[in-house]
Amino acid sequence: MKNVYDYKAINRLDLSDPKFKMLNKLNIFAFITILVSCVVGISLNYFLRMAGQPGGMYFIYILIGVVLCLIYPYFHEFAHAFAIVISRGKKPCIKFGKFAAYCGSPDIIFTKAQYFFAASFPFVFFCAVLIPLCVYLPAEYFVLPFMPLMYNVFGSVADYFMIYVVLSSPKRGIVVDCGTDIVIYVPGNCEAN
């Protein structure tokens, strides 16, 4: 780890710790969101047909949307990695586990602003790409960007939570993100309010 000897750790948040079980719950919540999106898509298919709009291939589009949701976590973590390379100029470690994917490195130290950028980048980027697609694509293609968009919104809950923890830390704090856990340090002579 880079030199943090002049700093003291004031907060450690480990989402993979069994006492939290938070990471699994967040991933299950995101997956349930995908299933709800499928029900919404099938309902839209019915109403599109009732309105005389083309809808015959809509079920296939829903299946394609599910596949896009299955590969979305890879794109999400690569977006984190891209943001880390931009903000810190260093290559992070990306890992994919049974219930979660994560990006981080114990050798990269972030300021609070750099961490905010790296943690929020996938959410902001994919919303900027997928929302206009939802608006401008014809109705029968709506489900293709909509399902990954919903997974982006609900799948980023862990990122929101970690951003909240980091931003509520003392002003001069630095962050070490190891993937599923973060450690916040403050200068040794600084009070941890």
Side-chain angles (χ1 to χ4, degrees), residues 4 24 29 47 52 54 66 82 87 102 104 107 112 119-120 136 167 175:
V4 290
N24 292 336
F29 181 68
F47 291 118
V66 170
F82 179 73
S87 65
Y102 58 91
D107 296 329
K112 288 169 64 171
S120 63
Y136 292 113
L167 292 181
V175 182

Side-chain angles (χ1 to χ4, degrees), residues 11 112 162-171 184 193:
N11 196 357
K112 288 169 64 171
M162 293 193 134
I163 289 170
Y164 170 76
V165 169
V166 168
L167 292 181
S168 50
S169 68
K171 188 175 185 177
I184 301 170
N193 297 333

Side-chain angles (χ1 to χ4, degrees), residues 29 37 44 55 59 80 92 94 99 101 108 118-119 128 131-132 139 141 150-151 154 163 183:
F29 181 68
S37 297
L44 284 174
F59 185 73
H80 278 305
I94 301 174
F99 292 108
I108 301 175
I131 289 174
Y141 301 113
M150 289 299 97
Y151 195 49
F154 291 107
I163 289 170
V183 182

Side-chain angles (χ1 to χ4, degrees), residues 26-173:
L26 294 175
N27 285 323
I28 289 169
F29 181 68
F31 184 72
I32 289 171
T33 304
I34 293 171
L35 295 179
V36 169
S37 297
C38 288
V39 171
V40 169
I42 291 168
S43 300
L44 284 174
N45 184 26
Y46 174 76
F47 291 118
L48 285 174
R49 288 181 189 202
M50 293 301 290
Q53 297 291 326
M57 291 292 290
Y58 209 70
F59 185 73
I60 301 299
Y61 298 146
I62 291 170
L63 292 178
I64 293 170
V66 170
V67 170
L68 290 173
C69 287
L70 292 175
I71 63 173
Y72 170 77
Y74 296 96
F75 289 112
H76 182 94
E77 295 308 321
F78 287 126
H80 278 305
F82 179 73
I84 291 171
V85 168
I86 288 173
S87 65
R88 295 296 299 140
K90 297 180 179 179
K91 181 183 167 203
C93 180
I94 301 174
K95 296 198 177 179
F96 298 96
K98 183 177 180 182
F99 292 108
Y102 58 91
C103 176
S105 175
D107 296 329
I108 301 175
I109 296 176
F110 297 92
T111 63
K112 288 169 64 171
Q114 291 168 335
Y115 185 81
F116 177 80
F117 174 74
S120 63
F121 183 77
F123 172 76
V124 173
F125 175 74
F126 287 114
C127 281
V129 170
L130 296 172
I131 289 174
L133 289 175
C134 285
V135 171
Y136 292 113
L137 283 177
E140 63 266 20
Y141 301 113
F142 172 76
V143 73
L144 293 174
F146 177 73
M147 289 177 68
L149 176 64
M150 289 299 97
Y151 195 49
N152 178 43
V153 170
F154 291 107
S156 296
V157 171
D159 292 336
Y160 311 145
F161 182 70
M162 293 193 134
I163 289 170
Y164 170 76
V165 169
V166 168
L167 292 181
S168 50
S169 68
K171 188 175 185 177
R172 294 176 47 200

